[in-house]
Amino acid sequence: MRILKAAGAAAGGLLLLCTLLLFNSRTCFAGGESYTFFCGKSSSDCRIVKTYGNAALKKLTLKDVCGESAQYARLDTEAFIESVNGEIIFCERLHDSVNYYCTADLPYSAELYGVEINLHVCVKEDGVTVASPLIFGGY
């Protein structure tokens, strides 16, 4: 009887561990051609980890994730921003891109120009990059 109780407790513990791992492996974005994780304590010490495979599985192997980014060949930016309950705070137009800085229902945030931002969308002719909180490392 003790063996059955011990086995049941071990199975329950394993199930709890797997549940926690799966919960922590959720990514902010789905369906991108590639996915990038930003790891570190801040943008200044950020390590960039790019993956073209299973982003959720890759996330399980990383420590100190402080942001995420996905790249798309095409994306309906208006529908995407709406899908994360986003609100455009300001827009920046450059010679090769349009950048939207937003608040949204996403887990990471950064202060930019005195405003808390947690979604950055960069639209270029050759694709769209989305990130929470910001696109680090250039775009």
Side-chain angles (χ1 to χ4, degrees):
M1 187 68 153
R2 285 187 217 207
I3 293 174
L4 287 176
K5 284 184 180 180
L14 185 61
L15 182 61
L16 179 62
L17 179 62
C18 288
T19 301
L20 289 172
L21 287 174
L22 287 174
F23 178 74
N24 286 337
S25 71
R26 285 189 38 190
T27 58
C28 292
F29 312 111
E33 281 78 23
S34 65
Y35 208 90
T36 304
F37 293 99
F38 308 112
C39 303
K41 301 292 183 201
S42 67
S43 62
S44 62
D45 76 347
C46 193
R47 181 171 59 96
I48 297 173
V49 179
K50 192 168 222 145
T51 183
Y52 297 91
N54 187 332
L57 185 60
K58 183 66 176 177
K59 186 176 182 182
L60 287 173
T61 68
L62 300 172
K63 288 176 47 179
D64 296 328
V65 174
C66 63
E68 302 178 28
S69 173
Q71 296 73 39
Y72 302 88
R74 289 188 191 93
L75 184 69
D76 180 338
T77 56
E78 188 175 310
F80 171 78
I81 292 169
E82 187 177 303
S83 77
V84 293
N85 198 27
E87 178 185 344
I88 298 171
I89 302 302
F90 60 92
C91 177
E92 175 183 60
R93 295 183 190 280
L94 304 173
H95 73 281
D96 66 341
S97 63
V98 178
N99 291 274
Y100 300 98
Y101 297 90
C102 312
T103 59
D105 291 337
L106 293 167
Y108 310 104
S109 65
E111 188 174 307
L112 189 61
Y113 305 121
V115 179
E116 189 171 296
I117 298 296
N118 60 358
L119 174 63
H120 178 184
V121 179
C122 176
V123 180
K124 290 186 169 186
E125 191 173 302
D126 62 345
V128 178
T129 300
V130 299
S132 180
L134 300 167
I135 303 167
F136 298 129
Y139 50 92

